[in-house]
């Protein structure tokens, strides 16, 4: 490490994606926070590449609880947090062929306990809601009308703006390339933008969280980044898709939804990948378009824009918020998988409460969450 002047903070956060930004936002209310981001802009990786959906029936029980617990923040953020509503109505249809109806019945049994709005609907109702669906393909669906679109850019900027207003700092072009235990306790992070020291280090490096652990001399947790492809296509002229819901195939092999006059679709791929600047593969793009053309009457579609991002999962697919056991000051905020945006208000609050030595947020506790469910011990046994 170089011997440049050490810049002293209460908390260093590695990564200015939605995880680092949300934790920094809540922590900066009471602590001096610096967020160190490798790229020249926050949100370059997974956070800027999502499908921007909020659904309380997605993921395992803890993920669903984190999402439900986040709804009040999304619906009534603090004054001045954002100039626009963070959520807007979208709706969701899980559509199935005749051979998928039993699976949809089972899914209905499970999710109707979580959302009173969920309904089982007929093929005719599906076609009335989304007229491009093929009558011969769709035999029925599960409708989740209270699923919402998230304004991800406003949410992310809201966190970062609030953090700065509280005196926190975001340093871009600041790749953390060395991590050392500080002589007096805490951690020293070495970057080309300077050296930073703090009693607490938050590892919110997304797909690189295990890489950061190894840099600090810790064993990795076995996080697996998985690539997911997204494609924008132009629907044929005259198609008014604005009010269509997000449509997901019952086996989750395709989804599509309107996006600013275009359609966003994905083959819902989950290809394991090393941490990297993920790029779409032509084959995944072709598979998505082929599946869309089988499910709908849309034809001759050409991609106008394609991208891919990494969804990074813990081995048990549960999100991680907690200190490394037996080690001072190393906090994990990782494994956000395909739910990092919709769970961020809950995860940010939980990180701030644990680091601040406060009680676990009682409203999230009432939803069945606790430190052990999200903590690191479960992955170190
Ligand atoms: C196609 C797709 C669709 C998705 N749809 C949804 C959805 O509908 N709803 C939802 O809630 N979620 C969705 N997700 C998941 C969501 O995008 C992620 O869970 C979330 O963005 C993860 O946030 P993060 O901050 O952990 O990671 P990131 O946004 O990747 O941020 C991590 C940051 O750490 C930085 N970093 C890494 N190493 C270093 C270092 N050495 N030094 C400094 N900085 C470093 C990186 O540059 C990066 O900016 C989707 C993801 C994809 C790819």
């Amino acid at each position: 490490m170089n011997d440049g002047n050490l810049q002293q903070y209460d908390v260093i956060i590695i990564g200015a994606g939605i995880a680092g930004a949300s934790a920094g936002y809540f922590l900066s209310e009471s602590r001096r926070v610096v967020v160190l981001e490798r790229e020249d802009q926050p949100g370059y990786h997974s956070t800027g590449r999502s499908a921007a959906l909020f659904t309380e029936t997605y993921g395992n029980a803890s993920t669903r609880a984190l999402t439900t617990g986040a709804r009040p923040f999304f619906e009534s953020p603090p004054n001045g947090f954002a100039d626009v509503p963070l959520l807007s109505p979208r709706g969701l249809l899980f559509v199935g062929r005749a051979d998928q109806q039993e699976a949809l019945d089972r899914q209905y049994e499970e999710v109707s306990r979580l959302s009173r709005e969920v309904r089982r609907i007929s093929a005719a109702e599906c076609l009335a809601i989304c007229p491009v669906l093929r009558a011969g393909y769709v035999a029925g669906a599960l409708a989740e009308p209270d699923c919402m679109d998230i304004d991800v850019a406003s949410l992310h900027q809201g966190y970062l703006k609030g953090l700065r207003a509280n005196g926190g700092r975001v340093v871009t072009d600041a790749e953390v390339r060395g991590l050392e235990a500080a002589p007096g306790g805490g951690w020293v992070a070495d970057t080309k933008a300077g050296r930073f020291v703090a009693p607490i280090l938050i590892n919110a490096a997304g797909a690189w969280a295990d890489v950061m652990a190894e840099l600090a001399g810790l064993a990795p947790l076995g996080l697996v980044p998985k690539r997911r492809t997204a494609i924008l296509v132009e629907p044929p002229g005259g198609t008014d898709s604005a009010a269509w819901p997000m449509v997901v195939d019952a086996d989750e092999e395709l989804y599509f939804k309107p996006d600013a006059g275009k359609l966003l679709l994905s083959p819902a791929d989950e290809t394991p990948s090393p941490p990297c600047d993920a790029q779409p593969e032509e084959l995944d793009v072709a598979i998505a378009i082929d599946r869309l053309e089988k499910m709908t009457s849309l034809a001759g579609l050409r991609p106008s824009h394609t991208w891919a991002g990494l969804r990074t999962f813990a081995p048990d697919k549960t999100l991680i918020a907690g200190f490394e056991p037996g080690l001072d000051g190393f906090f994990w905020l990782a494994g956000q998988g395909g739910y990092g945006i919709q769970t961020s208000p809950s995860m940010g609050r939980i990180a701030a409460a644990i680091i601040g030595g406060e009680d676990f947020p009682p409203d999230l506790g009432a939803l069945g969450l606790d430190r052990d469910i999200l903590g690191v011990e479960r992955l170190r046994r």
Side-chain angles (χ1 to χ4, degrees):
M1 287 193 185
N2 68 51
D3 290 314
N5 284 343
L6 276 178
Q7 303 180 47
Q8 177 95 42
Y9 287 87
D10 296 328
V11 181
I12 296 169
I13 301 178
I14 306 176
I18 206 79
S22 60
Y25 171 76
F26 290 105
L27 274 163
S28 62
E29 289 169 7
S30 57
R31 280 157 208 259
R32 287 174 307 144
V33 172
V34 64
V35 184
L36 303 176
E37 169 55 50
R38 178 186 50 211
E39 306 296 343
D40 62 3
Q41 48 168 330
Y44 175 76
H45 289 285
S46 303
T47 296
R49 307 181 188 199
S50 87
L53 203 74
F54 177 96
T55 161
E56 290 167 82
T57 61
Y58 195 35
N60 68 18
S62 61
T63 303
R64 296 187 307 232
L66 287 165
T67 307
T68 295
R71 197 183 254 273
F73 184 92
F74 278 113
E75 287 180 340
S76 341
N79 276 343
F81 185 88
D83 301 330
V84 292
L86 296 174
L87 296 183
S88 51
R90 173 54 55 207
L92 180 64
L93 285 188
F94 277 104
V95 299
R97 301 177 306 261
D99 61 303
Q100 292 172 315
Q101 294 306 304
E102 272 181 33
L104 282 180
D105 285 338
R106 285 194 297 276
Q107 197 178 344
Y108 174 72
E109 281 298 305
E110 197 185 332
V111 298
S112 57
R113 277 182 260 132
L114 306 166
S115 163
R116 270 172 291 135
E117 307 275 328
V118 168
R119 288 187 306 124
R120 212 46 185 94
I121 63 171
S122 66
E125 285 173 282
C126 292
L127 266 59
I129 294 171
C130 184
V132 286
L133 287 168
R134 267 187 209 284
Y137 179 100
V138 176
L142 193 70
E144 191 186 325
D146 53 355
C147 158
M148 309 291 265
D149 274 342
I150 304 173
D151 187 330
V152 179
S154 297
L155 175 69
H156 194 209
Q157 285 310 314
Y159 289 138
L160 295 172
K161 197 177 60 176
L163 179 158
R164 291 192 185 102
N166 289 335
R169 200 174 149 211
V170 180
V171 188
T172 51
D173 288 316
E175 177 174 6
V176 174
R177 52 196 183 186
L179 283 174
E180 258 180 22
W187 293 90
V188 179
D190 186 47
T191 78
K192 73 172 181 203
R195 299 176 75 216
F196 300 82
V197 62
I200 309 275
L201 177 85
I202 300 184
N203 178 6
W208 289 266
D210 266 348
V211 177
M212 290 301 98
E214 289 179 299
L215 207 56
L218 300 179
L221 289 180
L223 299 169
V224 182
K226 295 184 176 176
R227 188 181 67 237
R228 177 154 289 189
T229 309
I231 302 129
L232 283 180
V233 294
E234 194 99 37
T239 313
D240 183 7
S241 59
W244 294 355
M246 168 116 147
V247 176
V248 187
D249 148 70
D251 290 337
E252 218 190 318
E253 291 186 339
L254 173 74
Y255 63 72
F256 66 92
K257 72 171 205 177
D259 187 306
K262 299 192 174 176
L263 284 183
L264 184 158
L265 62 142
S266 171
D269 43 335
E270 296 201 313
T271 310
S273 161
C276 65
D277 185 354
Q279 299 300 323
E281 301 262 329
E282 266 178 41
L283 182 62
D284 293 322
V285 173
I287 287 173
I289 292 181
D290 180 57
R291 288 179 184 163
L292 183 69
E293 292 185 348
K294 286 199 172 100
M295 191 196 273
T296 66
S297 55
L298 298 167
L301 297 169
R302 288 182 173 281
S304 61
H305 182 48
T306 61
W307 69 94
L310 298 176
R311 301 155 80 246
T312 299
F313 292 90
D316 60 4
K317 297 241 171 142
T318 291
L319 281 73
I320 307 167
F323 282 109
E324 172 69 27
L327 186 70
D328 257 6
F330 190 99
F331 192 92
W332 291 83
L333 192 62
Q336 283 81 359
Y339 334 99
I341 314 290
Q342 63 181 30
T343 56
S344 63
S346 300
M347 289 293 281
R349 283 175 60 216
I350 289 169
I354 296 176
I355 288 169
E358 295 158 19
D359 289 341
F360 195 84
D363 55 318
L364 300 177
L367 293 169
L369 294 163
D370 63 32
R371 289 165 195 258
D372 292 341
I373 289 172
L374 302 169
V376 180
E377 285 84 351
R378 71 180 207 267
L379 301 168
R380 289 292 190 210
R381 284 183 197 122

